[in-house]
Amino acid sequence: MPWMTVTEPMERVLARLSSVPAAQRLGRIDGVMVKTFKKHADQRGYFIEQLKRGDLDDEGKPFIPEQPFAQMSRSLAYARGGNPPELIKAFHWHKKQWDYWDVVQGNARVVLVDLRSESATCGRIQTLILGENSPAMVAIPPYVAHGYQVLDLRDVVLNYYVTEPYDPTAPDEGRIAWNDPRIGFDWTIQNI
């Protein structure tokens, strides 16, 4: 598959990352939005509104993109256990596309890395827990590398909405290894 190559500005960002330990780069990334779901439950089950026109993120900003969604997809990641769990799907990034992720089964640690050279949070790493124990959706801007790790012994089902349709002849997707030393993210689970 013809993945996009990392751009020159992204290479410069990645080169600078290794000079600062990943733990010192943790924090919120500009442009990443989180919308915590409201679960309406009774004795029959529950109901969650995932997305609707007029939705706001947890900080009160409009959550739905100006450009409408172009595609909705679902991914299944098998749980394997271990520390870290064997299944880590990371990292990939897009030039144009926004991703809206909703983990509907299982639990995942989502890891985001800001590779935008002009961003105030360039090089920052943001982590989120999404899934059954933390029902929320995250909006991921272009040039923010992203991936996730299965956290428990249940498979993870990820529904995602994107602003660009997938084109297999020219995919808007680039890859960076999950264990790239320039990012230096520690995927181990801390047992306290």
Side-chain angles (χ1 to χ4, degrees):
M1 179 167 286
W3 303 115
M4 293 185 302
T5 58
V6 173
T7 66
E8 187 60 38
M10 291 170 66
E11 280 292 352
R12 286 193 298 273
V13 170
L14 286 166
R16 286 193 315 260
L17 293 183
S18 58
S19 66
V20 179
Q24 293 177 17
R25 292 185 278 117
L26 291 175
R28 190 180 171 290
I29 294 175
D30 283 347
V32 171
M33 296 180 288
V34 176
K35 176 189 174 220
T36 302
F37 294 138
K38 291 183 177 101
K39 187 183 274 191
H40 307 279
D42 63 22
Q43 67 274 13
R44 301 167 295 169
Y46 69 85
F47 170 78
I48 291 176
E49 288 182 347
Q50 291 177 293
L51 286 171
K52 70 179 179 187
R53 189 174 37 244
D55 273 350
L56 303 176
D57 73 358
D58 289 354
E59 294 182 359
K61 294 181 288 205
F63 191 73
I64 301 289
E66 292 178 16
Q67 179 178 349
F69 293 113
Q71 183 172 325
M72 178 179 161
S73 302
R74 179 181 298 170
S75 169
L76 172 81
Y78 293 120
R80 300 181 195 264
N83 187 13
E86 294 175 31
L87 191 82
I88 297 172
K89 294 183 82 173
F91 289 101
H92 72 275
W93 56 275
H94 308 283
K95 282 185 180 179
K96 300 182 285 184
Q97 173 177 302
W98 278 75
D99 281 13
Y100 286 71
W101 281 14
D102 177 12
V103 174
V104 297
Q105 176 184 300
N107 294 287
R109 174 167 53 173
V110 175
V111 180
L112 311 168
V113 183
D114 190 350
L115 299 178
R116 300 168 296 174
S117 59
E118 75 289 348
S119 169
T121 56
C122 177
R124 188 165 296 162
I125 296 171
Q126 182 173 349
T127 63
L128 304 161
I129 304 299
L130 296 182
E132 294 175 37
N133 294 338
S134 184
M137 182 176 284
V138 61
I140 307 165
Y143 292 104
V144 172
H146 47 287
Y148 68 93
Q149 172 183 34
V150 175
L151 286 181
D152 52 33
L153 298 177
R154 298 203 51 221
D155 297 343
V156 164
V157 175
L158 169 66
N159 278 349
Y160 55 102
Y161 310 86
V162 297
T163 57
E164 299 290 326
Y166 180 73
D167 178 357
T169 62
D172 177 31
E173 184 167 342
R175 302 276 174 145
I176 301 171
W178 68 275
N179 59 351
D180 188 303
R182 298 171 297 181
I183 295 172
F185 185 75
D186 180 4
W187 292 93
T188 56
I189 305 299
Q190 302 301 315
N191 295 314
I192 358 182

